[in-house]
Structures are given as C-alpha cells and as structure tokens.
Amino acid sequence: SMSRTVFCQRLKKEAPGMPFQLIPGEIGKRIFDHISQEAWSEWQKKQTMLINEKKLNMMNADHRALLQAEMVSYLFEDGDVQIEGYVPPSQN
C-alpha cells in the first residue's frame, strides 16, 4: 500500500502521514491531515512523560482536556511541553 505523505505542521516538512485517523472528531481529522507519523511518535513520548509527571487520570475529563490542549499546542502551535526535571538534549 502507498504510504500517505502530509505536510507536517509540527516538523514543517513533507513526511509520511499516519495510516489512519487515530483520534475521533475534528482534532483527530486535523492530526490525520496535517501531522506526520514522526511528529505523532514524538508527541506520544511527551504525552507519557506528562501523564506520569502530572499524575493524569484519563478517566478524568479535566485531565483529558488538559492533555488535549497540550497536544494541540505541541502539534499545531510550535508549543513545547514543559516537564519538571526534564532537560531536553541540546539542539546543535
């Protein structure tokens, strides 16, 4: 099967997209259309760190809303995830 290419709004380049829409609804469609597999994988790592750091509970609607806001910021608004005690690798 042909892999989809998208112009990734996080990476600002053409890159392989996701094979299918992972999240329902409008935001899921935006991610499917405009976010690469690579950027999504990076977000997944950040999401795991955030959940652990902030002890988020996915059964809690407020926690889910916070995570979704962080996701949109990270993927579409050049946001970065601030995690206590996490030092990102230096960007050369």
Side-chain angles (χ1 to χ4, degrees):
S1 64
M2 290 288 296
S3 74
R4 296 168 62 244
T5 299
V6 298
F7 183 83
C8 179
Q9 289 194 0
R10 173 72 194 178
L11 302 179
K12 307 289 189 278
K13 66 178 187 183
E14 297 273 333
M18 260 128 5
F20 47 84
Q21 186 174 325
L22 297 170
I23 295 176
E26 187 57 40
I27 289 177
K29 173 143 178 43
R30 267 182 83 194
I31 291 169
F32 182 68
D33 288 343
H34 302 293
I35 297 297
S36 65
Q37 183 75 60
E38 180 185 346
W40 180 254
S41 297
E42 288 300 311
W43 162 250
Q44 297 267 270
K45 291 178 206 153
K46 300 274 187 179
Q47 174 175 266
T48 300
M49 290 194 291
L50 266 174
I51 290 170
N52 293 339
E53 165 74 29
K54 298 189 185 297
K55 303 188 171 33
L56 301 182
N57 173 357
M58 293 300 97
M59 302 304 286
N60 179 315
D62 288 340
H63 290 192
R64 286 200 308 276
L66 177 123
L67 200 61
Q68 180 163 298
E70 289 273 6
M71 176 179 75
V72 169
S73 166
Y74 181 79
L75 294 175
F76 294 108
E77 295 157 13
D78 293 329
D80 209 355
V81 175
Q82 300 305 314
I83 294 154
E84 298 294 323
Y86 172 71
V87 180
S90 63
Q91 301 293 328
N92 294 328

